[in-house]
């Protein structure tokens, strides 16, 4: 009886360890983008007027903006992106099964948003979701 309990405990611990490892690996993408944005923003604090100092200032502004933009893009919970996997890992089993069943639908929504972004204007929902928050930051 006790060996069965030990086996089950080891299996549960192994599953939890795999979920945590997967969660950490997937969360590294958006976290690294936001960390890089902070790192490239630090010189603005120590060098007054860096933004107006030509090429280097503009380069740092673009690096901060693009890392924020990419970090926001990565946290959209659609199938090929990082947060879809994070959500799948942290959802309870019943909701996780539903989440997995709708993976293909999520990919279709993502592809539709990408295609609409090429049209531009009011149809660029992906641009509105990502660029508006990153501009306001």
């Amino acid at each position: 009886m006790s060996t069965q309990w030990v086996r089950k405990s080891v299996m549960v611990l192994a599953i939890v360890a795999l979920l945590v490892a997967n969660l950490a690996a997937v969360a590294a993408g958006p976290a690294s983008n936001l960390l890089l944005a902070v790192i490239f923003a630090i010189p603005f604090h120590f060098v007054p007027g860096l933004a107006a100092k030509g090429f280097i200032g503009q380069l740092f502004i673009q690096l901060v903006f693009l890392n924020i933009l990419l970090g926001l893009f990565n946290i959209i919970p659609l199938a090929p992106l990082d947060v879809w996997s994070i959500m799948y890992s942290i959802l309870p089993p019943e909701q996780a099964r539903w989440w997995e069943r709708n993976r293909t639908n999520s990919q279709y929504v993502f592809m539709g948003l990408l295609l609409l972004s090429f049209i531009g204007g009011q149809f660029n929902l992906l641009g509105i979701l990502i660029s508006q928050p990153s501009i306001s930051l």
Side-chain angles (χ1 to χ4, degrees), residues 83-104:
V83 173
W84 190 91
S85 299
I86 293 172
M87 291 293 294
Y88 181 72
S89 296
I90 62 174
L91 283 171
E94 187 174 321
Q95 285 85 6
R97 282 190 291 276
W98 179 88
W99 195 254
E100 180 62 36
R101 281 194 311 265
N102 287 297
R103 174 183 224 139
T104 304

Side-chain angles (χ1 to χ4, degrees), residues 41 43-45 47-62:
F44 291 105
H45 179 71
V47 180
L50 179 63
K53 291 192 178 182
F55 175 74
I56 299 295
Q58 292 302 311
L59 177 67
F60 278 108
I61 288 173
Q62 290 299 316

Side-chain angles (χ1 to χ4, degrees), residues 59-114:
L59 177 67
F60 278 108
I61 288 173
Q62 290 299 316
L63 287 170
V64 170
F65 177 74
L66 290 175
N67 276 298
I68 290 172
L69 193 70
L70 190 56
L72 290 173
F73 179 76
N74 277 332
I75 63 172
I76 296 174
L78 295 175
L81 302 175
D82 294 332
V83 173
W84 190 91
S85 299
I86 293 172
M87 291 293 294
Y88 181 72
S89 296
I90 62 174
L91 283 171
E94 187 174 321
Q95 285 85 6
R97 282 190 291 276
W98 179 88
W99 195 254
E100 180 62 36
R101 281 194 311 265
N102 287 297
R103 174 183 224 139
T104 304
N105 296 336
S106 177
Q107 290 173 341
Y108 290 144
V109 168
F110 178 69
M111 293 306 289
L113 288 172
L114 276 179

